[in-house]
Amino acid sequence: MTESTVTWLTQEAHDRLQAELEHLSGPARAEIAERIAAARDEGDLKENGGYHAAREEQAKNEARIRELTEKLRHVQIGTPADDGVVEAGMVVTAVVAGDEMTFLLGSREIAGTTDLDVYSPTSPLGAAIDGHRIGEKVAYTAPNGREIPVEILKATPFAG
């Protein structure tokens, strides 16, 4: 497992994802299976819209189960060290292309629990600052090819 595959979550976000996984793996999976069985009993499957819709929903449900299982397998819960190093779980204040901004470096699953903008550690900005310290200047290449300068002003653990 590499550092980039670890997902940092608060306990609240972890509990929410765990509950979603349990629901999708249990009651939701059973409900979809019942709808598939009921639609199958209607006869000709080629022109059975209900059957095809239920199968599509089943595929989406199974994909989300796989995503959650993988994410929860490689999760880091808690608060990172307050050592001035930018990493997942830190609230970062930085000057990005001349504008000061404050955001949380973390996964999208945490976005629902904060008013802060959330940037993934694998995004261009996140990858550029991950592992750097307060006071350091770095740059990253934007999708349009432009070089964006970044100066890290502050990095503190997310308190929730």
Side-chain angles (χ1 to χ4, degrees), residues 1-8 70-71 73-75 122:
M1 178 169 73
T2 65
E3 193 72 29
S4 64
T5 62
V6 173
T7 302
W8 173 83
E70 185 63 20
K71 192 163 290 213
R73 182 178 294 137
H74 303 294
V75 70
T122 59

Side-chain angles (χ1 to χ4, degrees), residues 76-157:
Q76 174 185 339
I77 301 170
T79 306
D82 191 1
D83 56 5
V85 176
V86 176
E87 60 183 308
M90 299 294 272
V91 176
V92 179
T93 301
V95 176
V96 181
D99 295 324
E100 185 173 310
M101 54 192 287
T102 299
F103 55 90
L104 173 63
L105 191 64
S107 69
R108 66 184 170 103
E109 281 75 15
I110 201 79
T113 63
T114 179
D115 291 334
L116 290 169
D117 289 332
V118 179
Y119 286 85
S120 166
T122 59
S123 69
L125 173 59
I129 63 174
D130 195 14
H132 288 277
R133 297 186 159 282
I134 295 170
E136 289 187 1
K137 294 179 181 182
V138 297
Y140 70 94
T141 304
N144 65 6
R146 203 172 116 217
E147 192 78 5
I148 309 291
V150 179
E151 180 181 0
I152 302 164
L153 302 177
K154 188 175 176 185
T156 58

